[in-house]
Each structure stands twice: as C-alpha cells, then as structure tokens.
Amino acid sequence: MIYRFRVILDNDTDEDIFRDLEIRETDTLEDLHNIITQSFGFDGTEMASFYISDNQWNQGEEISLFDISDGAPARLMNETILNTVVHEIQPKLIYVYDFLSMWTFYVELAEIVDVAEGSDYPNLMFVQGQVPESAPERIFEADDEDNFDEFEDDIDLDDYNNLDFDENWN
C-alpha cells in the first residue's frame, strides 16, 4: 500500500506552504525524512526528529534521526517502519528539522492507496508555496511577556516569616 501525506510548514505567513508526498507503507521514517527535506529544499544534513501526535497536534514520543541520548536508547528513524507508527487511527506526526532553526512541519496521512503500476516511490505529488529564507520565529510561553509572569504566585521572598518552609531544616 502507498501512504499519501500532506506535509505543512508551520509558519506565520498567510501563504500555505505544503507538499503532498507518496511513500510505501513499508518504508522507514528515515525515507520519509529524506523526501520531506528534499521536497522543501533542505540538504538533509541537520538533526531531525519525528514526534507521534494526537488529533490536537500534541507532541508525543520522539523518533530521532540519530541516537544522541544518554542512557536508554532512543527510537530511530532508520529502524521504524511507517505503518508501525502511522495508520488510519493514528494519522499525524510532527516533524522538526534543524534544532537550531526549529523548522516545524505537520505531517498528516491523507490517504492510503494501491501501488500504481509504473510509479516510483517515494514520489512528490504536489507543491504549494515557497519556503522562506529562514525558519519562522517560534514564540515560547516565557518569551510572550503578555501572558507569562514568573512571579504570578504573589510570594514575597523578603517576608521570611510567611514562607512555607522550616528555616532550620538541616
């Protein structure tokens, strides 16, 4: 069977930037990584990870391009077959390329079809939009000054009598 994916760049512009791809269900996540990087014009040499996602695009388990973990071995793209992590019930992944720039993509299984005789896979089916020169700027909670207050608990650190700890604890 062939998986048809829509890969959407998470960006701040009004322009939709996405690629529609076809790939065998028995190919690896590394194969999917390769066609994503090629179709968006990246050289593919930066670190990348897929994250299993739910319907609300919450980031779940990480599947890495390389094992850079300390301790328990990480799940790797070249050892993970597509149909073991993506299927009709679980159709979404988040893909992050280049952890310094944080290019972030939403990868969704759009359709499962039969192999087309004479077709080569993976296959780039459709291109929409041009990739910007630099990754869209990510706004993190701590960077959003309107919504984040590190002192929102109203504790007066100079008022030792009302702090909730025993000052003679040791």
Side-chain angles (χ1 to χ4, degrees), residues 1 14-15 17-18 33 35-36 70 87 98 101 108 110 117 145 157 166:
M1 301 304 287
D14 292 334
E15 180 186 19
I17 301 171
F18 65 88
H33 153 79
I35 190 172
I36 290 172
D70 293 336
H87 39 79
D98 185 355
S101 299
E108 185 166 13
E117 186 134 350
E145 293 178 18
L157 296 178
D166 181 6

Side-chain angles (χ1 to χ4, degrees), residues 45-134:
T45 60
E46 301 296 333
M47 183 60 191
S49 286
F50 283 98
Y51 297 89
I52 296 174
S53 180
D54 61 15
N55 286 332
Q56 288 76 39
W57 294 105
N58 293 310
Q59 187 173 307
E61 177 188 2
E62 179 180 14
I63 304 168
S64 299
L65 184 59
F66 303 108
D67 187 359
I68 57 171
S69 64
D70 293 336
R75 196 165 174 189
L76 300 176
M77 289 183 200
N78 67 345
E79 299 171 350
T80 306
I81 305 300
L82 275 171
N83 65 13
T84 64
V85 292
V86 178
H87 39 79
E88 290 152 331
I89 297 170
Q90 172 51 55
K92 296 180 179 185
L93 297 168
I94 296 171
Y95 174 69
V96 177
Y97 177 75
D98 185 355
F99 288 114
L100 294 177
S101 299
M102 293 296 290
W103 291 95
T104 303
F105 301 85
Y106 300 110
V107 181
E108 185 166 13
L109 177 62
E111 190 175 19
I112 300 173
V113 298
D114 292 326
V115 173
E117 186 134 350
S119 294
D120 289 328
Y121 300 101
N123 177 37
L124 175 60
M125 297 173 45
F126 185 78
V127 172
Q128 171 68 42
Q130 295 296 317
V131 177
E133 300 247 344
S134 60

